[in-house]
Amino acid sequence: MEGISEVAKSKQQLIIEEWNGSSSTKLFKTATIFASPSLSIHRSGSRFNHVWRRVLQAFVPEGFPGSVTPDYVPFQVWDSLQGLSTYIRTMLSTQALLSAIGVGEKSATVIGATFQWFLRDLTGMLGGVLFTFYQGSNLDSNAKMWRLVADLMNDLGMLMDLLSPLFPSAFAFVVCLGSLSRSFTGVASGATRAALTQHFALQNNAADISAKEGSQETMATMIGMALGMLLARITMGNPFAIWFSFLFLTMFHMYANYRAVRCLSLNSLNFQRSSILLQQFMETDQGLYHGACFANVDYFMDLKG
């Protein structure tokens, strides 16, 4: 929020101050304009700090950090790291998938590759519809659990793509299985992300948080694609290096997701949290809304959604 905070007129001198920030964060002066009688502008702070704040505004919500919950930053850090490892592995799995389809081979036909790709995508779309039908109503109430499940299914899908060149006779089945796994990922990840965005928003700024999440993901995607292309180039023709890199990045991906989920402290009730609150009430006679009960919920329910 930028605006004119003070207009003072003294001895025919006009002074205009520009401040930056929001009502939820500390305001800081960015510029002062003097008109007496010539016009002069004095910037507050270094030009580097001014540029850095402008760049930061593209990646964090307005009013940060006061406009989001305390668990926003650690979650986003681990979430960006797991996304980075995913995009790096995507280059390896896509390279294997294209090789299995026949890219670069004279015997491969365009219609054959097109049909196989279409069958792969069709399986994924049907799988996403079925998954939504059976589990759509449970995703927001168990956001932590389904977040982990989504990334695990994504790992399985990439593994199927990497395995596809090893089973040419069962290629269609393997890639369809991988596409089916990723379809679960798309549905569960999107739904849980919406629930977590509502959790992070403290000032009805869910749309802003979602937009800045998109900017962070785009940056992670570009970095991951660049590193993935470099890794694919280095490991080309070396199956051991490809599999070692893929498995190492997969293990890091699972660890980063685990740490991201552990960072979350959700304050909404689902079946598991309600059970723990009732058990706490029965054992200690504390009120259901006592602060200690919620502290125990966060302690015991790190991975229960």
Side-chain angles (χ1 to χ4, degrees):
M1 179 185 69
E2 296 183 1
I4 300 174
S5 65
E6 178 182 326
V7 177
K9 198 169 184 179
S10 176
K11 296 182 180 180
Q12 297 181 349
Q13 184 181 41
L14 181 66
I15 302 175
I16 303 175
E17 294 181 351
E18 180 189 67
W19 293 73
N20 201 334
S22 67
S23 58
S24 61
T25 59
K26 183 179 179 180
L27 297 174
F28 53 90
K29 186 189 297 185
T30 57
T32 304
I33 303 175
F34 297 93
S36 59
S38 61
L39 185 66
S40 61
I41 302 176
H42 297 278
R43 292 286 181 183
S44 300
S46 65
R47 183 174 296 273
F48 173 78
N49 291 335
H50 179 72
V51 173
W52 171 249
R53 285 194 294 266
R54 291 295 186 182
V55 173
L56 196 63
Q57 287 176 357
F59 296 98
V60 297
E62 182 180 358
F64 175 85
S67 61
V68 293
T69 57
D71 54 355
Y72 174 80
V73 172
F75 176 82
Q76 290 300 120
V77 169
W78 286 109
D79 185 59
S80 298
L81 290 176
Q82 68 87 17
L84 185 65
S85 67
T86 297
Y87 302 128
I88 297 176
R89 288 179 301 144
T90 299
M91 300 302 296
L92 299 177
S93 61
T94 302
Q95 184 183 45
L97 181 61
L98 294 176
S99 174
I101 290 178
V103 175
E105 297 183 5
K106 295 182 179 180
S107 58
T109 62
V110 175
I111 188 63
T114 302
F115 176 76
Q116 291 173 337
W117 202 272
F118 167 76
L119 185 63
R120 170 179 174 269
D121 290 345
L122 179 63
T123 304
M125 288 184 285
L126 293 176
V129 172
L130 292 175
F131 180 75
T132 303
F133 175 76
Y134 283 105
Q135 293 294 338
S137 60
N138 298 325
L139 297 177
D140 54 348
S141 61
N142 296 284
K144 285 185 176 183
M145 182 188 72
W146 285 113
R147 175 78 183 185
L148 290 177
V149 171
D151 287 295
L152 181 62
M153 298 303 290
N154 189 40
D155 292 339
L156 180 60
M158 289 188 177
L159 180 62
M160 293 297 102
D161 288 345
L162 201 62
L163 287 172
S164 58
L166 304 179
F167 301 95
S169 59
F171 171 77
F173 174 77
V174 174
V175 296
C176 287
L177 183 61
S179 180
L180 188 65
S181 299
R182 275 190 298 273
S183 69
F184 298 161
T185 301
V187 175
S189 179
T192 55
R193 167 55 63 180
L196 294 179
T197 299
Q198 293 294 334
H199 161 70
F200 292 137
L202 293 180
Q203 300 178 353
N204 295 323
N205 57 340
D208 186 28
I209 293 177
S210 180
K212 300 307 169 55
E213 162 68 18
S215 297
Q216 297 169 18
E217 186 173 354
T218 299
M219 180 60 67
T221 301
M222 292 189 295
I223 297 175
M225 290 177 63
L227 295 177
M229 287 188 291
L230 178 62
L231 182 61
R233 181 70 176 178
I234 295 175
T235 60
M236 182 181 297
N238 189 340
F240 175 79
I242 292 175
W243 278 99
F244 177 81
S245 302
F246 180 84
L247 293 177
F248 174 79
L249 289 171
T250 300
M251 292 178 62
F252 176 78
H253 177 256
M254 297 174 63
Y255 174 76
N257 271 290
Y258 170 76
R259 290 299 303 270
V261 170
R262 284 290 302 270
C263 292
L264 293 173
S265 299
L266 302 181
N267 53 12
S268 58
L269 290 177
N270 58 10
F271 177 78
Q272 289 86 356
R273 297 192 193 99
S274 299
S275 298
I276 289 182
L277 286 176
L278 290 173
Q279 183 179 2
Q280 178 80 9
F281 175 73
M282 296 294 292
E283 293 177 354
T284 63
D285 291 333
Q286 291 179 336
L288 290 180
Y289 294 98
H290 195 278
C293 293
F294 282 104
N296 288 334
V297 169
D298 289 336
Y299 178 77
F300 288 110
M301 295 301 298
D302 280 329
L303 297 178
K304 290 294 186 181

